Amino acid sequence: SDDELIFNWQEEKLIEVSTGKKKYKCINGKPILIDFSHSVINEDWFKTTKENISIIGKRATLFKKIKNLITGSEFNTIKSINIFKKALTKNSTVLLIGSGTIGSGLKSLYKDENINLIAFDIYPSKNIQFIADCHKIPLKDSSIDGVVAQAVLEHVLDPQSVTMEIFRVLKKDGL
C-alpha cells in the first residue's frame, strides 16, 4: 500500500523512511517527516545540524530555572500532567509536540509505562521518535488519545493551523 512505511537501514543505522509516494531522509536515526515543498523549514538546515540543537536557537536555562523557582510553574505543570494522566485509559497513545527538550514538569510522561508516547520536534534529539513540522503532523486522523504541546504555539507561524492539526489527530474524546 502507498501508506506502508519502508525502512532503509545501512550498517545498522536508519538512513531513510519511505512510502509508496515519498522518501524521507534521516538524521541520527530519526526520520525527517517534513514535506519541504510545503514548509518554511529549509531542508539545508538538516545537512549541518547536530542532535539537540534547536532550530530556534539556544534557550536561557538559568533564566528558566529562576523563573520556575519564583513562579512555581514546574509544580503547576506536574499537577496538571497528573490530572491529564488520570484521565487517560491504560495504554493510551499520547503525542508530545515540541519535545526535543523534555519540558518543565513532563518527565513523568516519559517514564509512565501505561502510556504509548509519540514524541517529535523540528530538530533531532534523543527524546523524539521523528522530526516533523507541527503545521502538518504526519499522523492519521483520530489516532491519538492525548496531546501535550508545551511552549510550542508561541514559536510557530500559524498557531491556529497547528491547533487544527492537533484536533485532527485527536480521537473524538481525546485530551
Side-chain angles (χ1 to χ4, degrees):
S1 114
D2 284 345
D3 294 332
E4 184 178 336
L5 289 177
I6 301 163
F7 297 90
N8 184 3
W9 298 85
Q10 188 174 57
E11 298 176 13
E12 297 184 20
K13 184 176 180 184
L14 184 62
I15 59 167
E16 181 182 84
V17 175
S18 62
T19 65
K21 298 177 184 176
K22 292 189 179 263
K23 289 184 177 183
Y24 300 96
K25 294 179 182 173
C26 294
I27 183 170
N28 299 330
K30 309 292 181 177
I32 304 170
L33 305 180
I34 298 173
D35 180 356
F36 291 105
S37 65
H38 293 94
S39 177
V40 297
I41 307 301
N42 186 335
E43 186 174 7
D44 291 336
W45 184 82
F46 292 99
K47 293 176 183 172
T48 58
T49 190
K50 294 178 175 54
E51 192 167 81
N52 293 327
I53 304 295
S54 172
I55 202 165
I56 61 170
K58 200 169 187 173
R59 294 172 174 95
T61 56
L62 179 61
F63 174 75
K64 184 178 174 182
K65 287 179 182 179
I66 293 170
K67 179 184 162 204
N68 281 340
L69 186 63
I70 294 169
T71 64
S73 60
E74 183 166 14
F75 171 76
N76 292 329
T77 302
I78 291 169
K79 193 173 169 183
S80 296
I81 290 298
N82 286 335
I83 294 168
F84 174 77
K85 286 170 44 175
K86 284 179 184 172
L88 296 170
T89 59
K90 189 173 183 175
N91 295 319
S92 289
T93 301
V94 173
L95 178 65
L96 286 180
I97 301 174
S99 54
T101 301
I102 297 177
S104 177
L106 300 182
K107 287 180 185 173
S108 70
L109 284 175
Y110 285 85
K111 294 178 180 180
D112 195 319
E113 294 180 7
N114 292 316
I115 294 174
N116 299 312
L117 200 62
I118 300 173
F120 79 94
D121 208 323
I122 199 68
Y123 64 92
S125 162
K126 64 182 179 184
N127 302 318
I128 64 170
Q129 283 83 28
F130 60 89
I131 299 163
D133 181 345
C134 59
H135 291 88
K136 296 278 184 187
I137 301 171
L139 298 173
K140 291 182 180 180
D141 295 357
S142 304
S143 59
I144 301 295
D145 297 301
V147 174
V148 176
Q150 184 185 58
V152 170
L153 294 177
E154 66 268 32
H155 297 292
V156 300
L157 290 175
D158 187 355
Q160 183 176 357
S161 74
V162 172
T163 304
M164 289 169 47
E165 276 293 279
I166 290 169
F167 278 104
R168 181 186 64 78
V169 300
L170 269 174
K171 292 179 179 176
K172 183 181 176 194
D173 296 324
L175 304 172

